[in-house]
Amino acid sequence: MDIPRIFTITESAHRIHNPFTADNYATLGAALRLEPDTRVLDLGSGSGEMLCTWARDHAITGTGIDMSPLFTAQAKRRAEQLGVADRVAFIHGDAAGYVAADPVGVAACVGATWIGGGVAGTIALLAKSLRPGGIILVGEPYWLRVPPDQQVAEGCGAGSIADFLTLPDLIASFADLGYDVVEMVLANQDGWDRYEAAKWLTMRRWLDANPDDEFAPEVRALLASEPRRYAAYTREYLGWGVFALMAR
């Protein structure tokens, strides 16, 4: 079980696999007013930065589930590095359909809502693990500006303009599902630059080390096209944020 290889190449040096920075996660943890020993479930936990830093800074406990064996191993090393391996656990597995054995205070899916077939399905899945009065966290893209045509939408990584909503419409969609939006932290351009541009050096270093790999032509083509695509499309049109929700 693994994610597509291109991601384990381009994001192998990332600690955070979305446009958030360490400061964004610190802001979010403080905004949620996390109490010590709050149980947190993170579906699609990547390299574990959110759970590990919150365990260090707020004394939460947590479990992360991710399909990537590489990222799961990185998360375990990060927990050891920060001295919180006794407070957080990382499991290599399929987060789709995962429900915690015991209810948690925070149930999160930060940037992987495909596991539930979209935002609504992922919220429904997270709710199955949540204790009464708990908080759901959803990380999701939104349009900063609605693309003028299909080409621009595809340049942002969307299948169509309808794949994402504007920020006001995304917030309204949570209300339509029966949730109050009680907090949000939005990525900024620096976060986007760190997430996207950091891939380029990783790809170049990988190509230098693996010139004869059968995957090298695909990585080379991506490195040649990604900087311009990102500058022309994603950076101009796409936002991203984490939204804290409580059931009404």
Side-chain angles (χ1 to χ4, degrees):
M1 181 185 299
D2 203 349
I3 60 177
R5 189 183 179 199
I6 191 63
F7 296 109
T8 62
I9 292 174
T10 61
E11 298 188 26
S12 60
H14 283 51
R15 280 186 179 167
I16 299 172
H17 303 278
N18 59 56
F20 256 22
T21 63
D23 286 344
N24 289 143
Y25 273 126
T27 297
L28 180 61
L32 295 177
R33 308 170 198 174
L34 294 168
E35 297 289 339
D37 296 320
T38 298
R39 290 171 47 82
V40 181
L41 174 68
D42 187 8
L43 300 185
S45 50
S47 296
E49 192 71 2
M50 183 178 80
L51 286 182
C52 289
T53 55
W54 286 2
R56 178 195 63 193
D57 298 339
H58 302 285
I60 61 99
T61 63
T63 301
I65 317 293
D66 200 273
M67 286 183 66
S68 168
L70 172 64
F71 296 164
T72 303
Q74 289 176 339
K76 292 177 180 179
R77 288 196 296 271
R78 184 62 168 155
E80 293 283 354
Q81 180 184 35
L82 296 185
V84 295
D86 60 331
R87 304 195 66 84
V88 292
F90 295 97
I91 300 169
H92 172 230
D94 188 356
Y98 185 91
V99 177
D102 299 306
V104 300
V106 178
C109 180
V110 179
T113 56
W114 52 266
I115 67 171
V119 172
T122 300
I123 289 174
L125 172 61
L126 293 170
K128 295 178 181 179
S129 296
L130 198 66
R131 65 166 174 78
I135 290 176
I136 286 175
L137 296 180
V138 175
E140 185 69 6
Y142 59 87
W143 293 124
L144 290 172
R145 292 188 288 150
V146 177
D149 53 43
Q150 178 69 12
Q151 178 184 346
V152 174
E154 291 178 358
C156 295
S160 70
I161 295 173
D163 280 3
F164 304 133
L165 301 171
T166 64
L167 180 57
D169 287 343
L170 179 58
I171 289 174
S173 76
F174 297 135
D176 292 341
L177 294 171
Y179 287 85
D180 289 320
V181 179
V182 296
E183 260 292 358
M184 71 177 186
V185 177
L186 304 181
N188 56 28
Q189 284 197 331
D190 180 61
W192 271 111
D193 291 347
R194 292 302 83 237
Y195 174 55
E196 294 287 350
K199 299 176 187 178
W200 310 337
L201 179 58
T202 301
M203 284 191 279
R204 176 54 194 265
R205 293 273 169 81
W206 185 91
L207 285 166
D208 290 347
N210 301 276
D212 299 322
D213 192 288
E214 63 180 7
F215 210 56
E218 183 171 339
V219 177
R220 163 47 61 193
L222 198 63
L223 178 56
S225 62
E226 274 297 281
R228 183 184 185 283
R229 181 209 61 78
Y230 168 63
Y233 299 117
T234 302
R235 201 173 193 270
E236 295 300 313
Y237 287 92
L238 201 61
W240 196 89
V242 177
F243 304 88
L245 314 175
M246 294 182 70
R248 288 178 174 170

